Amino acid sequence: MKLKRIEKIEEYIYKNGSVSLDELCDIFNVSKNTIRRDINYLEQSGILKKVYGGVLANKTSLIPFENRTIQNQEKKQSIAHLAASFIEENDLVFIDSGTTTCQMLEVIDNNRNFTILTNSLDIINAAATLTNIKLIIIGHTYKRETQSFVGIDEDATINRYNINKAFMSVTGVSIKHGLTNADMLETEIKKYVVNRAGELYLLADSSKFGKSTLLTYAELKDVKNIITNESLSTEFVSYCSVNSINIQYAK
């Protein structure tokens, strides 16, 4: 209940740009102390900035999907294309929703037969045109902001599948908070996938590292391969070495 309220508060602040604490109390029918605690939580995630009597949205931390697709486009494309090379014959792979993962099928070998499990509308549309790919769709409710399907009736929806590899996107990734995402319903699906996947591949451009958002869906140590575009900090490189995480750099 608390996380759902915080998610709604985050969406409200983003839509309105700036709001007062009194307005939030009225809209969400909670006390000022409760609102202050929720605001503190969101501030730590970098989603907003507190000002006298209210808050301001940090719009660089939550950008609508259609606008995010044009940011760091070449970097994301090179990451996605490298990630696609890890898909092998007869694999069952999960491809996450996101502005990087959605470009993976642009370079896939048309003679390579495999199965995709996904909740991404872009991946669904791309895979539908490729006869070598079997497509399994999860999620029963369309979320326009992320162009993905969310909501599953029970964990058995994903737990029946033996996923060889999961190609995951993030809003932010840190050593302390792991792989993070700002949407509660998407996070639910991501957690189930992570628990079923044999190998976890993280696709993230350099702007995502050292940041965290509202919800953690996996620990960084659970990742097998990080696919990114630039050299990571010494701290990340050391952590990956200790935890046997491969770092792949896209050219």
Side-chain angles (χ1 to χ4, degrees):
M1 188 69 180
K2 176 184 175 182
L3 285 178
K4 186 66 175 176
R5 182 182 67 247
I6 290 175
E7 183 184 39
K8 293 296 183 184
I9 290 171
E10 178 189 348
E11 291 177 358
Y12 185 82
I13 293 170
Y14 182 81
K15 282 183 180 179
N16 291 275
S18 64
V19 294
S20 69
L21 295 184
D22 289 336
E23 181 180 354
L24 291 173
C25 289
D26 290 340
I27 293 294
F28 294 98
N29 193 30
V30 292
S31 69
K32 190 164 285 189
N33 284 338
T34 297
I35 283 295
R36 285 197 179 103
R37 285 195 295 270
D38 291 348
I39 292 304
N40 286 338
Y41 188 92
L42 289 169
E43 185 186 34
Q44 291 172 8
S45 299
I47 289 166
L48 55 81
K49 178 182 178 181
K50 288 193 289 188
V51 295
Y52 182 75
V55 294
L56 291 173
N58 178 10
K59 294 207 171 185
T60 61
S61 68
L62 185 62
I63 302 170
F65 189 95
E66 60 271 21
N67 294 335
R68 283 188 281 131
T69 56
I70 64 174
Q71 296 191 351
N72 300 319
Q73 182 65 24
E74 290 184 0
K75 296 176 183 178
K76 293 180 178 185
Q77 188 176 57
S78 63
I79 291 168
H81 291 180
L82 176 57
S85 69
F86 288 96
I87 298 177
E88 299 177 290
E89 183 78 10
N90 297 322
D91 269 348
L92 168 56
V93 303
F94 175 82
I95 301 182
D96 202 0
S97 64
T99 56
T100 301
T101 49
C102 71
Q103 301 178 73
M104 285 182 62
L105 298 187
E106 292 177 351
V107 294
I108 205 71
D109 183 352
N110 290 337
N111 294 315
R112 188 177 305 157
N113 298 293
F114 62 98
T115 301
I116 292 177
L117 179 69
T118 190
N119 65 322
S120 165
L121 180 62
D122 287 302
I123 293 295
I124 292 167
N125 288 335
T129 66
L130 301 173
T131 56
N132 58 308
I133 295 175
K134 293 181 180 178
L135 181 61
I136 302 171
I137 301 169
I138 56 173
H140 53 62
T141 303
Y142 181 59
K143 189 174 180 66
R144 190 174 304 278
E145 294 84 357
T146 54
Q147 293 183 203
S148 63
F149 292 90
V150 296
I152 50 178
D153 295 324
E154 54 182 13
D155 60 3
T157 303
I158 295 173
N159 282 348
R160 66 167 64 103
Y161 299 111
N162 295 318
I163 302 170
N164 301 114
K165 298 160 186 168
F167 297 90
M168 308 300 295
S169 62
V170 289
T171 308
V173 54
S174 72
I175 292 173
K176 180 179 179 181
H177 297 293
L179 281 55
T180 61
N181 183 62
D183 184 271
M184 187 169 67
L185 293 175
E186 282 216 330
T187 297
E188 178 186 31
I189 290 176
K190 291 174 191 285
K191 282 184 175 181
Y192 286 134
V193 168
V194 167
N195 287 335
R196 292 297 299 169
E199 298 177 355
L200 199 62
Y201 291 73
L202 172 62
L203 282 62
D205 65 70
S206 55
S207 68
K208 302 293 180 65
F209 289 87
K211 298 179 180 178
S212 60
T213 52
L214 191 60
L215 303 163
T216 295
Y217 70 83
E219 299 299 322
L220 184 55
K221 63 180 176 61
D222 296 332
V223 174
K224 176 180 174 58
N225 281 284
I226 292 175
I227 304 174
T228 188
N229 61 295
E230 293 180 9
S231 297
L232 302 182
S233 68
T234 302
E235 184 183 20
F236 271 103
V237 171
S238 176
Y239 181 91
C240 290
S241 176
V242 170
N243 290 278
S244 301
I245 302 170
N246 300 315
I247 305 174
Q248 308 284 341
Y249 294 108
K251 298 180 180 179

